[in-house]
Amino acid sequence: MTDRTPFFAGLTLGLAGGRNRRPNQKAAHLRPVHSPRRENHDMVADQINQQRQRIDEIDRQIVDLLNERALAAMAIGRSKNAGGLPEFAPEREQAIIDALERHNQGPLSGQSLRGIFAEIISACRAVQRPLRVAFLGPATTFSHQAAMRHFGSSCEFAPHRSIIDVFHEVERSHAQVGVVPVENSSEGQVSVTLDLFLESDLNVCGEIYARISQVLMSKEAAIEKIQRVYSHPQALNQCRNWLARNMPMATLIESTSTAAAAHKVAQEDGSAAVGSILAARQGGLNALAVDIQDNPHNTTRFFVIGRQKCPPTGNDKTSILFVTHHKPGMLFSALKHFADSGINLTRIESRPLKNTPWEYVFFIDMAGHVEDAQVRQVINTLDEETRLLKVLGSYPMGEPEAWNGAEQAV
């Protein structure tokens, strides 16, 4: 009996304590427990909300400034029209980008900044009058993608079936500029483009470097479901090793273009196409794999052609063509002038001279502008020493796209 007394005594005290507690007083074990995790979550949520409010305010300021910029662009457009000046000024657009890159302190990369301002410039150009850009089609090809990256999406893009059609479209003033391929890092020169410069009076007023990133696209969600792969023969050939390793059982089927292949697989089960990320996005297709080309550095260089001539920017190239007299040492003599003047040649190509068997026309790209004293002196000398010399144009030097692994397929 005495052994049970402490138990009952404790129980009695506990009951007594319960009877004596005020109605609004909770037992210790019923009080809310303080949670450091909950408090930290609330603090983080408050910080995020504050930064989002700041972003919203900055975005409103950006919109106001963009509209101010557009109004200034409209005023410039009116002045250009009154003075009979060309609407498109590639040297000015390049100067804007260069100045902004020098001003940039990060964290945005220079490449990101170029992309953002290409769209801003394109939109401000469009409020004056949309720039019409002719390119080698069909739509969503790498020519289209290169044109969009260079000029921004607020343009009228006109696809054409051949390079000669692009030249004619610009020559007839149906488009202010055209975009044509001139060389590929793996395949070499695009001979049709070079040959057309012999006959055309258009100028080269820009250059674009576009890395050829091939994408496997399909309406299917998994590679395992793919039985057929469609694309242009050149695209299939560029990805042949990757396809053999990753899809050995798939049947490869040639199409007239990468765009046609993308259109077909959008309507067909169990099939995929190889082409640009632009084709995948515009076709609503899944990018099952990106950068599947066997050569990750495969790049195509494009010329921007038009009627305008570009003033110097300080970072320019000049393209010329010439035909030497058919005598020993004439090519050596021509090239020696560049070496003696310290002018760097960035490309030398030759093509057969039409209607004159076994004679050749030479195409040269050099660093510098035709208005630079040294460049002008060499060109004047060559004009006296050659059978034919033609300055194709001086233009802002393009920048090859950097390769940092797989391109984002979003």
Side-chain angles (χ1 to χ4, degrees), residues 236-404:
L236 290 175
N237 190 54
Q238 290 175 354
C239 307
R240 193 164 299 279
N241 292 338
W242 188 95
L243 293 169
R245 285 195 310 270
N246 295 275
M247 307 177 69
M249 304 305 294
T251 302
L252 306 186
I253 304 172
E254 295 183 356
S255 300
T256 55
S257 68
T258 55
H263 179 73
K264 183 173 183 61
V265 304
Q267 306 170 49
E268 184 176 290
D269 295 334
S271 63
V274 173
S276 70
I277 189 64
L278 181 62
R281 288 169 179 162
Q282 292 199 358
L285 298 170
N286 299 314
L288 302 183
V290 296
D291 278 332
I292 67 172
Q293 66 279 1
D294 298 327
N295 177 5
H297 305 290
N298 187 25
T299 299
T300 296
R301 179 179 176 230
F302 297 85
F303 273 162
V304 178
I305 55 174
R307 293 200 174 277
Q308 63 269 51
K309 295 183 178 181
C310 301
T313 68
N315 186 33
D316 303 293
K317 275 186 187 176
T318 296
S319 296
I320 66 171
L321 64 82
F322 63 86
V323 179
T324 65
H325 293 286
H326 199 43
K327 297 178 182 179
M330 294 306 296
L331 178 59
F332 171 79
S333 176
L335 296 178
K336 189 174 184 297
H337 293 306
F338 295 102
D340 291 344
S341 299
I343 296 173
N344 183 34
L345 301 184
T346 59
R347 182 179 68 109
I348 304 175
E349 299 277 3
S350 67
R351 290 284 301 150
L353 188 61
K354 301 295 184 183
N355 303 319
T356 311
W358 317 121
E359 294 198 27
Y360 297 86
V361 56
F362 297 94
F363 293 84
I364 283 182
D365 294 339
M366 70 190 83
H369 194 279
V370 70
E371 294 184 14
D372 297 344
Q374 288 179 311
V375 174
R376 169 51 60 190
Q377 182 179 0
V378 169
I379 288 176
N380 288 339
T381 302
L382 287 179
D383 193 31
E384 296 173 357
E385 295 182 358
T386 58
R387 286 175 50 198
L388 169 68
L389 183 136
K390 184 177 182 181
V391 177
L392 304 182
S394 292
Y395 47 90
M397 190 176 294
E399 185 174 341
E401 285 187 272
W403 184 76
N404 349 311

Side-chain angles (χ1 to χ4, degrees), residues 22-37:
R22 296 188 187 95
N24 61 350
Q25 185 179 3
K26 296 181 179 179
H29 67 281
L30 296 178
R31 292 173 186 161
V33 178
H34 175 72
S35 171
R37 180 177 297 178

Side-chain angles (χ1 to χ4, degrees), residues 109-156:
S109 68
Q111 186 172 353
S112 296
L113 205 65
R114 283 194 299 275
I116 291 168
F117 272 88
E119 290 297 336
I120 290 174
I121 292 169
S122 179
C124 289
R125 221 194 284 118
V127 299
Q128 303 173 56
R129 190 179 76 163
L131 185 71
R132 186 171 176 83
V133 182
F135 67 93
L136 178 62
T140 75
T141 58
F142 288 105
S143 294
H144 189 187
Q145 188 168 286
M148 287 186 66
R149 186 174 69 85
H150 187 74
F151 292 107
S153 58
S154 298
C155 296
E156 293 180 0

Side-chain angles (χ1 to χ4, degrees), residues 51-62 64:
Q51 293 303 319
R52 284 175 174 168
Q53 290 178 2
R54 174 168 165 73
I55 286 174
D56 291 344
E57 177 59 29
I58 292 171
D59 287 345
R60 286 190 288 270
Q61 294 174 16
I62 289 173
D64 292 341

